């Protein structure tokens, strides 16, 4: 049998012994609402256990669910952003026993989800189908006490019901993903959409965004769908990539020895970097879905849906389109990808809207602003634009602009005070010309070679001028002056 | 002459309390005296606390003295079936699995009664989780029929019906999933109303079968039942199935009469009854006709399928509703060596046989591979019944029939024969499946001295018409028959 333990390399297509990957992802996202899905308890992370609870979300006898309207709005937002059909839907009960599930059933959506049949276009151009994006409630959180961390070996377990009844949207993709990298790209793009919509904070590590992967393989070029395994416990993009790669190869190896995987749920073991069987299809719960009699069907009107649609402005796709249109054909795709970041985008967008050159705005956003934004207490959109304008009007040089931008984010002073304090006023052209002349006079042998046509010496002179002016000279003025002097001296 | 407050109807009693002719404390002392007299032989209550009652009474008396606004039920005793949660009394649903549980909140109906100045006198016995037709399935006690202590009071609201019939309370609340208000009301000779589904809030009603459950009043008179339904019939934002909009006035229907009302007798409902019960239904029809109603017989074949559909749908919903009793958060917990063990032991010990039977039935009916065959078919049948009823209601305003096929049966007589027990609900189940309202009115006694009830059925939100006709039937019974009250 083939032995290959080489790790999958990001950015490459996945092909293993003539097999290709077929992956569908199920992404659960907690929705950012003030209250829970069916009661008025606070939907907050990190509070003292069992403080955000009430008879309803504890599933006490006699209680009934009342649907939170904001959840419906957010779910529809997600559906519209994912190009789904939004339609009349119903709630079902998914029945199973577990201590973190207060009612003994989860209220979810089954055959009629609120959103269905959409797609998500990835930056690479690949389109992934969205089968459905439905509403359901989260469970509580159980912690098994004892060494193993597993229920059957633990002395006791603690349950926190703060999370019970928190609204979730489950987004199920079609099996359109064919490499670990594509899976990663899909999750990153989807997370971008959810964060841009303001419906999720997208934190995988804290569990507010959870991903399960349905993995199978098939001979390259075939269109069949073979037995899939569902991989759980993917807490980071890294584990997502590695788990899919591992699982795909596991399937191929089974087929290579005339064996086959069985349909089951598997657990990604981060420490051992492998998947293990959690339960097989035979052991799987029969969820006994049936229509939730305590809730009415959800039938949003066309007007309600259009109202929500009008609120959607900034999905990654729309942001990308805006920046590329502003650039009018100029290619800056790497920097555009960086600039559409949730935090950065408002800066670049505003700068372009008030007339700053898109090229400059995108470059400063993707490079300088991206590097400093995580620690920028004094950054504001106005200050950012002020710096860009100074650079555009050649009041300061590009290198000065970079220094100034960094200072502006960290110093509680006006931009003009910072310029004075750092002495960042650009040298005027006459001043620059005299410095250039001084430098030329000081380096006769280099100048002679430059006159002979050794253009690489340009950098030598520019560097000297910059040094003498403390970076205040404008590089393009220096170059122009040098070229004029060469014409004069030749 | 000393008036016993318990001989008054709720209307007169609250009036007497308001005009300070009677104090609430006097009312409560009468209740306590009556309970001391009758309860030992009847066993209607699961919770009754005389001292707490006297305290509540004195609080109400002070309010009345200070002239504070008190509601329409001021000083009126209301017994509450023990599947409605109360923050100041334990709530068990007559199950061991909830023994000692103190709910942290009041059911909406309990809140409404308290707001109206009513006095929740205690919690009444029922078949465990309201599953039964005789109140024999209670994990705590067997309630006896005040008319004949060897007979069942009916069920599942047997405690409430018996308490009202024995004058231990003036009003009571029951819940009706397949007849659980109307059948015990009929067997105990009192009035019982199952309102339109969504008319009364289910918030705080311990669910048996959510799409069928409905709370309603049990009273000695039609007027008292109307009064109580006016108090509890409110739109409730805590119950998503609560009907939007205003509930109509009911008490004012007392003098409307039945002139030109079109009343149908469903032949399929009368067919399965004892001769005596059937004869009484036809007598009621004849008397209504004399008062100007237009009576005719009508066939609605689908109602014969009601029982089979019901015994799939109700257990299916119950199997899910009862999953929360797992020993984790409240009620009984039997520890085990593992989680599954704890679930098993808790539920094995906590649930009675009938509850287990229905959980198993329901789980089976919803299982993959069986869903279409059972649950799916039952839902289709339910739709058929509702459609056929609505078809009939094009020609009739109301329908008339028996409430229970027979008068009260002996304790123990049917407890080992589930099918025979289920047959008791054959006349009442169709209304629950259709979501329609229905009323049971006492209509004299049988030869054995036990009460017979007749039932009026109507389409969605037909409560005003139903009460209009119920008032007439009550008058007709009084004029033509022996008093059916115990
Ligand atoms: Zn809550």
């Amino acid at each position: 049998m083939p032995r290959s333990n080489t790790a999958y390399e990001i950015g490459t297509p996945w092909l293993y012994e003539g097999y290709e990957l077929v992956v569908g992802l199920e992404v659960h996202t907690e929705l950012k609402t003030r209250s829970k899905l069916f009661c008025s308890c606070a939907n907050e992370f990190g509070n003292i256990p069992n403080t955000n609870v009430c008879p309803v979300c504890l599933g006490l006898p006699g209680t009934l669910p009342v649907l939170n309207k904001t959840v419906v709005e957010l779910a529809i937002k997600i559906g519209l952003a994912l190009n789904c059909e939004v339609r009349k839907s119903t709630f079902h009960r998914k029945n199973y026993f577990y201590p973190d599930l207060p009612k003994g059933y989860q209220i979810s959506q089954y055959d009629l989800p609120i959103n269905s049949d959409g797609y998500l276009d990835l930056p690479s151009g690949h389109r992934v189908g969205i089968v459905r994006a439905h509403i359901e409630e989260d469970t509580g959180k159980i912690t098994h006490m004892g060494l193993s961390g597993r229920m059957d070996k633990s002395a006791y377990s603690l349950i926190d019901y703060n999370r019970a009844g928190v609204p979730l949207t489950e987004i199920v993709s079609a099996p359109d993903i064919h490499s670990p990298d594509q899976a990663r790209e899909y999750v990153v793009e989807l997370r971008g959409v959810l964060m841009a919509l303001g419906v999720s904070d997208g934190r995988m590590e804290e569990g507010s965004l959870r991903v399960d992967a349905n993995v199978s393989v098939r001979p390259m070029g075939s269109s069949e769908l073979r037995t899939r395994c569902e991989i759980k416990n993917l807490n980071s993009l890294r584990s997502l990539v590695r788990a899919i790669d591992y699982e795909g190869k596991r399937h191929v190896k089974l087929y290579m020895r005339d064996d086959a995987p069985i349909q089951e749920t598997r657990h990604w073991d981060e420490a051992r970097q492998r998947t293990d069987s959690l339960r097989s299809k035979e052991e799987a719960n029969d969820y006994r879905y049936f229509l939730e009699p305590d809730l009415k069907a959800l039938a949003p009107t066309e007007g309600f849906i259009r109202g929500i649609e009008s609120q959607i402005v900034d999905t990654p796709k729309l942001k990308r389109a805006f920046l590329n249109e502003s650039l009018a054909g100029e290619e800056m795709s790497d920097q555009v990808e960086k600039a559409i970041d949730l935090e950065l985008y408002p800066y670049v967008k505003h700068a372009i809207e008030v007339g700053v050159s898109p090229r400059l705005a995108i470059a400063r956003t993707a490079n300088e602003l991206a590097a400093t934004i995580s620690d920028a207490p004094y950054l504001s959109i106005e200050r950012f634009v002020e710096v860009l304008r100074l650079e555009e009007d050649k009041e300061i040089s590009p290198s000065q602009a970079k220094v100034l931008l960094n200072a502006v984010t960290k110093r509680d002073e006006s931009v003009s005070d910072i310029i004075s304090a750092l002495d960042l006023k650009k040298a005027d052209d006459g001043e620059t010309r005299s410095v250039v002349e001084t430098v030329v006079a000081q380096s006769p042998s280099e100048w002679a070679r430059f006159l002979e046509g050794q253009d690489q010496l340009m950098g030598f002179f520019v560097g000297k001028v910059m040094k003498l002016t403390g970076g205040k000279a404008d590089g393009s003025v220096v170059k122009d002056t040098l070229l004029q002097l060469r014409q004069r001296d030749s | 002459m000393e008036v016993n407050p318990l001989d008054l109807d709720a209307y007169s009693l609250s009036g007497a309390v308001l005009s300070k002719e009677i104090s609430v404390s006097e009312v409560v002392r009468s209740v306590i005296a009556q309970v001391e007299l009758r309860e030992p032989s009847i066993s209607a209550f699961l919770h009754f606390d005389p001292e707490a009652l006297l305290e509540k009474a004195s609080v109400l008396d002070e309010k009345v003295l200070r002239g504070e606004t008190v509601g329409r039920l001021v000083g009126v005793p209301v017994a509450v079936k023990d599947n409605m949660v109360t923050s100041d009394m334990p709530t068990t649903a007559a199950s061991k699995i909830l023994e000692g549980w103190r709910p942290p909140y009041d059911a909406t109906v309990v809140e409404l009664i308290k707001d109206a100045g009513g006095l929740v006198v205690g919690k009444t016995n029922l078949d465990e989780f309201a599953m039964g037709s005789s109140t024999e399935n209670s994990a705590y006690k067997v309630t006896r029929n005040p008319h004949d202590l060897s007979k069942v009071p009916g069920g599942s609201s047997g405690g409430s019906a018996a308490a009202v019939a024995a004058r231990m309370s003036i009003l009571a609340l029951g819940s009706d999933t397949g007849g659980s208000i109307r059948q015990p009301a009929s067997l105990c000779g009192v009035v019982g109303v199952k309102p339109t589904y969504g008319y009364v809030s289910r918030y705080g009603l311990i669910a048996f079968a959510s799409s069928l459950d409905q709370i309603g009043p049990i009273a000695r008179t039609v007027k008292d039942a109307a009064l109580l339904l006016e108090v509890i019939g409110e739109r409730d934002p805590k119950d998503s199935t609560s009907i939007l909009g205003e509930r109509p006035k009911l008490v004012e229907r007392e003098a409307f009469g039945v002139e030109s009302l079109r009343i149908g007798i469903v032949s399929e409902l009368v067919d399965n009854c004892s001769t005596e019960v059937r004869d009484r239904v036809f007598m009621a029809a004849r008397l209504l006709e004399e008062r100007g109603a237009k009576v005719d017989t009508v066939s609605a074949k689908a109602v014969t399928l009601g029982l089979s559909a019901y015994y799939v749908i109700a257990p299916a919903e119950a199997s899910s509703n009862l999953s929360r009793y797992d020993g984790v958060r409240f009620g009984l917990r039997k520890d085990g060596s593992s989680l599954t063990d704890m679930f098993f032991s808790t539920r094995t010990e906590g649930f009675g046989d009938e509850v287990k039977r229905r959980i198993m039935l329901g789980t089976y009916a919803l299982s993959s591979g069986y869903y279409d065959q059972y649950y799916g078919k039952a839902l289709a049948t339910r739709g058929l019944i509702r459609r056929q009823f609505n078809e009939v209601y094009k020609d009739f305003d109301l329908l008339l029939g028996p409430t229970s096929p027979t008068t009260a049966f002996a304790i123990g007589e049917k407890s080992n024969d589930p099918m025979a027990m289920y047959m008791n609900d054959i006349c009442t189940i169709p209304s629950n499946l259709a979501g329609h309202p229905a009323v049971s009115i006492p209509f004299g006694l049988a030869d054995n001295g036990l009460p017979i009830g007749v039932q009026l059925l109507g389409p969605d939100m037909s409560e005003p018409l139903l009460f209009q006709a119920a008032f007439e039937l009550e008058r007709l019974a009084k004029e033509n028959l022996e008093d059916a009250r115990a």
Side-chain angles (χ1 to χ4, degrees), chain A residues 56 58-66 93 95 97 99 102-105 151 161 286 288-290 293-294 296, chain B residues 101 104-105 202-205 210 237-241 320-321 323-325 328-330 339 363 366-368 371 375:
Chain A
V56 175
L58 287 176
L60 296 191
T63 56
L64 296 170
V66 176
R93 290 187 185 177
N95 295 284
F97 286 98
K103 300 185 293 296
Y105 55 85
M151 171 167 281
Y161 291 106
D286 177 353
R288 292 173 283 118
Y289 279 100
F290 74 102
D294 290 331
K296 296 208 158 149
Chain B
W101 182 53
Y105 73 106
R202 290 185 295 119
Y203 189 74
L205 169 66
S210 314
K238 291 195 207 111
D239 175 357
S240 310
T241 61
S320 173
N321 284 331
S323 295
R324 68 191 65 198
Y325 307 96
V328 176
R329 293 166 313 282
F330 52 82
L339 175 74
T363 303
L366 288 174
S367 298
S368 71
Y371 181 99
Y375 193 67

Side-chain angles (χ1 to χ4, degrees), chain B residues 83-402:
Chain B
N83 60 350
M84 295 169 218
V85 304
T86 39
S87 57
D88 53 0
M89 296 176 190
T91 301
T92 65
S95 179
K96 286 282 176 209
I97 213 155
L98 278 177
E99 191 162 12
W101 182 53
R102 286 274 179 164
Y105 73 106
D106 275 328
T108 296
V109 285
V110 170
E111 255 176 23
L112 289 168
I113 286 169
K114 287 181 177 174
D115 288 350
L119 205 67
V120 176
V121 288
K123 303 300 286 293
T124 58
N125 199 20
L126 62 149
D127 289 295
E128 185 178 359
F129 285 105
M131 296 176 184
S133 310
S134 67
T135 316
E136 292 167 289
N137 293 336
S138 166
Y140 299 99
K141 50 176 74 162
V142 171
T143 300
R144 287 159 191 276
N145 193 314
H147 292 266
D148 176 347
L149 296 177
S150 71
K151 299 289 197 292
V152 300
S156 65
S157 311
S160 282
V164 171
R167 284 174 152 67
M168 295 189 281
S169 183
I170 291 184
L171 300 174
L173 288 183
S175 67
D176 192 313
T177 306
S180 282
I181 290 175
R182 292 160 286 159
Q183 185 256 15
S186 167
L187 269 45
C188 290
V190 293
V191 178
V193 183
K194 186 213 91 83
T196 303
Y197 185 76
Y199 197 100
V200 177
S201 168
R202 290 185 295 119
Y203 189 74
L205 169 66
I206 295 180
F208 159 18
S210 314
S211 74
L212 301 161
D213 296 342
Q214 188 59 200
I215 294 172
I218 293 175
R220 287 204 304 269
T221 66
V222 173
K223 190 173 182 177
D224 276 2
L227 174 65
L228 183 52
L229 187 52
E230 281 186 2
V231 169
I232 61 172
E234 290 275 347
R235 148 114 181 102
D236 183 8
K238 291 195 207 111
D239 175 357
S240 310
T241 61
S242 176
I243 294 169
L244 301 165
E246 289 280 302
R247 274 56 171 170
K249 296 244 185 317
L250 303 170
V251 177
E252 65 178 31
R253 296 274 160 167
E254 186 171 9
F256 276 44
V258 291
E259 178 79 49
S260 75
L261 271 190
R262 299 166 305 165
I263 297 174
I265 298 175
V266 183
S267 41
E268 286 81 3
L269 291 182
V270 216
D271 283 352
N272 289 299
C273 296
S274 71
T275 326
E276 209 173 10
V277 170
R278 191 185 316 143
D279 290 349
R280 199 60 59 86
V281 171
F282 283 112
M283 177 186 174
R286 206 177 57 244
L287 292 169
L288 284 169
E289 222 165 8
E290 283 171 17
R291 291 286 159 94
K294 295 187 181 111
V295 183
D296 211 341
T297 51
V298 61
S299 166
K301 289 237 158 31
V303 303
T304 58
L305 304 170
L307 197 68
S308 330
Y310 177 86
Y311 276 98
V312 172
I313 293 170
E317 291 182 13
S319 71
S320 173
N321 284 331
L322 268 57
S323 295
R324 68 191 65 198
Y325 307 96
D326 57 4
V328 176
R329 293 166 313 282
F330 52 82
L332 181 77
R333 174 190 292 183
K334 285 284 155 193
D335 283 318
S337 58
S338 68
L339 175 74
T340 316
D341 224 33
M342 182 193 80
F343 285 163
F344 262 104
S345 324
T346 302
R347 291 168 68 83
T348 302
E349 195 144 325
F351 290 138
D353 286 349
E354 184 59 28
V355 173
K356 286 176 191 160
R357 175 162 27 239
R358 299 205 194 185
I359 290 175
M360 284 189 273
L361 266 173
T363 303
Y364 184 79
L366 288 174
S367 298
S368 71
Y370 298 97
Y371 181 99
D372 292 339
Q373 202 176 336
Y374 296 106
Y375 193 67
K377 269 198 180 152
L379 289 183
T381 306
R382 184 178 187 174
L384 186 69
I385 290 170
R386 193 177 157 81
R387 280 196 304 279
Q388 212 164 83
F389 262 127
N390 288 335
E391 201 55 43
V392 169
Y393 286 126
K394 284 179 182 165
D395 300 323
F396 294 92
D397 300 306
L398 300 172
L399 299 175
L400 177 71

Side-chain angles (χ1 to χ4, degrees), chain A residues 249-306:
Chain A
K249 286 175 179 162
R250 191 181 72 85
H251 285 213
V252 174
K253 286 172 194 169
L254 285 169
Y255 289 125
M256 299 283 291
R257 57 167 196 253
D258 285 334
D259 201 349
I262 54 163
Q263 190 176 332
E264 60 182 354
T265 304
R266 297 178 70 84
H267 177 266
W268 172 248
D269 186 334
E270 186 65 45
R272 294 160 65 211
Q273 295 283 301
R274 54 173 290 166
T275 64
D276 293 306
S277 179
L278 210 57
R279 53 180 176 267
S280 74
K281 194 185 173 191
E282 286 71 36
E283 299 166 89
N285 280 306
D286 177 353
Y287 292 121
R288 292 173 283 118
Y289 279 100
F290 74 102
L291 198 68
E292 166 57 279
D294 290 331
L295 290 169
K296 296 208 158 149
L298 189 54
T301 62
E302 195 59 24
F304 185 75
I305 296 171
R306 295 287 84 86

Side-chain angles (χ1 to χ4, degrees), chain A residues 83-333:
Chain A
N83 309 292
C84 288
E85 197 186 317
V86 181
R87 45 174 201 184
K88 181 175 171 176
S89 62
T90 55
F91 289 93
H92 271 65
R93 290 187 185 177
K94 179 180 180 178
N95 295 284
Y96 66 96
F97 286 98
Y98 205 66
D100 64 8
L101 187 68
K103 300 185 293 296
Y105 55 85
Q106 179 195 33
I107 302 179
S108 181
Q109 296 195 292
Y110 185 54
D111 51 355
L112 292 174
I114 185 163
N115 305 301
S116 57
D117 302 317
Y119 59 87
L120 177 63
D121 284 330
L122 306 185
S124 62
H126 186 68
R127 174 170 288 188
V128 178
I130 304 292
V131 176
R132 57 193 283 146
H134 71 251
I135 300 169
E136 62 184 30
E137 58 179 337
D138 210 343
T139 62
K141 212 165 183 175
I142 192 160
T143 312
H144 303 302
M145 306 307 285
L147 287 176
S148 73
R150 292 179 57 149
M151 171 167 281
D152 49 1
K153 303 234 173 69
S154 62
Y156 60 98
S157 304
L158 299 174
I159 315 171
D160 175 9
Y161 291 106
N162 283 354
R163 204 180 67 181
V166 160
L168 294 176
T169 295
E170 181 179 339
I171 302 157
V172 181
S173 89
D176 292 344
I177 293 164
H178 301 294
S179 76
D181 195 30
Q182 227 166 40
R184 182 182 190 284
E185 192 191 6
Y186 170 82
V187 172
V188 170
E189 182 70 4
L190 182 59
R191 185 168 63 177
V193 170
L194 298 173
M195 289 167 75
L197 293 172
V199 302
S200 163
D201 55 24
R203 287 195 283 260
M204 269 183 100
E205 283 76 9
E206 277 180 14
S208 68
L209 192 85
R210 303 194 281 271
V211 184
D212 299 332
N214 284 300
V215 179
S216 67
V217 299
R218 66 185 170 203
M220 186 67 194
S222 119
S223 59
E224 65 182 314
L225 287 176
R226 293 196 176 185
T227 305
R228 64 191 154 84
C229 292
E230 187 182 2
I231 319 297
K232 293 200 176 279
N233 192 40
L234 304 172
N235 298 325
S236 65
L237 291 171
R238 213 175 67 128
S239 33
L240 172 76
V241 167
R242 295 195 174 179
I244 291 174
D245 179 46
Y246 174 89
E247 186 63 14
K249 286 175 179 162
R250 191 181 72 85
H251 285 213
V252 174
K253 286 172 194 169
L254 285 169
Y255 289 125
M256 299 283 291
R257 57 167 196 253
D258 285 334
D259 201 349
I262 54 163
Q263 190 176 332
E264 60 182 354
T265 304
R266 297 178 70 84
H267 177 266
W268 172 248
D269 186 334
E270 186 65 45
R272 294 160 65 211
Q273 295 283 301
R274 54 173 290 166
T275 64
D276 293 306
S277 179
L278 210 57
R279 53 180 176 267
S280 74
K281 194 185 173 191
E282 286 71 36
E283 299 166 89
N285 280 306
D286 177 353
Y287 292 121
R288 292 173 283 118
Y289 279 100
F290 74 102
L291 198 68
E292 166 57 279
D294 290 331
L295 290 169
K296 296 208 158 149
L298 189 54
T301 62
E302 195 59 24
F304 185 75
I305 296 171
R306 295 287 84 86
I308 293 166
E309 196 166 35
S310 68
Q311 296 166 24
I312 300 176
V313 277
D314 287 339
T315 64
K317 188 180 165 189
L318 293 173
K319 290 188 211 171
R320 210 175 278 127
F322 173 74
L323 295 183
N324 284 327
E325 270 168 41
S326 310
L327 283 169
E330 197 169 345
E331 164 63 32
M332 288 183 79
S333 59

Side-chain angles (χ1 to χ4, degrees), chain B residues 457-477:
Chain B
L457 299 79
D460 278 344
M461 296 302 282
S462 63
E463 276 80 355
L465 273 191
L466 273 177
F467 270 95
Q468 205 172 309
F471 276 120
E472 194 65 65
L473 274 177
E474 189 180 47
R475 279 190 292 268
L476 290 169

Side-chain angles (χ1 to χ4, degrees), chain A residues 39 41 54 57:
Chain A
C39 63
C41 288
C54 72
C57 57

